[in-house]
Amino acid sequence: MGIDLKAGGRRVGHKSSMKKVKTANPYNKLLIKLYKFLARRTESKFCATVLKRLHMSKTNRPPIGLHRLSRYMSQKDGKTAVIVGKVTDDVRMLECPKLSVCALAFTTGARKRIESSGGECIPLDQLALRAPKGNGVVLLRGPKSREALSHFGHSTSVNNPHTHTAVKPYVRSKGRKFEKARGRRRSCGFKV
């Protein structure tokens, strides 16, 4: 069966998230304006990617820890790490290496440790003056795994017990008395 081209294809009611600015943060609004201009005038893929990430929701802009950041930047001397999100401190890391980091936000602990080790923390608007086309930068992202993702997927049923067996149920407590009867043991009807 083909796509109904007269109706405009299959994606109905889906608009691009970049058509309208959803954030109420005035700083983020100005950053979107700036990178929209840069992406159009410089035609650089870096600016287009930063613009796309600025439009993302908070869950799609996960934070990155200092330890992970220092690991990614270990072989990249003289380059600036760019994170469209927050940089957080990692107390398990004893010594912070000298880093040049550009991000939307920094926690106070992360900023203090980066600057005390001789590094620098710069905002995204300053990066636009320094590297408008993204020369000498490394674009990074934090891990996107959240606890909520373990609950996503199809629920199992009698007809198809193994749709997504690894989907974590929302249970009040993991004990003998909680959701252990029908559907969870062979002796009571069925087991998923």
Side-chain angles (χ1 to χ4, degrees):
M1 208 166 148
I3 300 168
D4 188 359
L5 291 173
K6 281 187 181 171
R10 280 201 188 132
R11 277 178 67 85
V12 181
H14 292 81
K15 286 200 174 99
S16 167
S17 61
M18 287 172 65
K19 287 261 195 303
K20 191 181 173 202
V21 180
K22 292 191 190 76
T23 181
N25 187 336
Y27 176 64
N28 284 13
K29 278 183 177 176
L30 286 170
L31 277 179
I32 287 170
K33 249 184 192 176
L34 171 66
Y35 276 93
K36 197 179 207 174
F37 172 80
L38 284 173
R40 193 180 73 243
R41 292 298 292 268
T42 62
E43 291 179 2
S44 85
K45 289 208 174 147
F46 167 77
C47 291
T49 310
V50 170
L51 175 67
K52 186 173 77 180
R53 290 185 189 179
L54 281 168
H55 275 284
M56 287 181 180
S57 62
K58 198 175 179 183
T59 48
N60 291 323
R61 282 190 280 112
I64 189 168
L66 259 185
H67 181 69
R68 191 181 291 263
L69 185 61
S70 64
R71 258 204 344 252
Y72 285 149
M73 297 301 288
S74 59
Q75 302 295 319
K76 297 173 175 69
D77 295 328
K79 292 203 170 190
T80 306
V82 179
I83 299 101
V84 185
K86 192 175 236 181
V87 175
T88 55
D89 190 13
D90 198 339
V91 290
R92 295 168 296 182
M93 191 171 71
L94 300 172
E95 285 181 24
C96 179
K98 186 181 175 184
L99 295 167
S100 174
V101 189
C102 169
L104 262 182
F106 296 89
T107 59
T108 48
R111 188 185 289 275
K112 194 189 286 181
R113 285 187 73 177
I114 291 167
E115 286 171 352
S116 64
S117 66
E120 57 173 356
C121 301
I122 60 167
L124 280 163
D125 52 89
Q126 220 170 328
L127 180 84
L129 295 170
R130 202 181 286 189
K133 285 188 173 183
N135 299 329
V137 301
V138 182
L139 195 56
L140 299 172
R141 277 204 264 206
K144 218 172 173 185
S145 55
R146 303 181 287 137
E147 198 278 331
L149 295 176
S150 57
H151 298 285
F152 295 173
H154 297 293
S155 59
T156 51
S157 65
V158 188
N159 306 332
N160 190 2
H162 303 294
T163 337
H164 279 64
T165 44
V167 173
K168 192 177 179 184
Y170 290 104
V171 184
R172 186 164 52 118
S173 185
K174 191 174 166 61
R176 175 187 57 82
K177 300 186 285 185
F178 302 96
E179 297 189 23
K180 295 281 189 213
R182 186 173 182 276
R184 282 287 168 198
R185 56 168 92 164
R186 295 243 181 270
S187 60
C188 298
F190 66 100
K191 184 179 187 315
V192 176

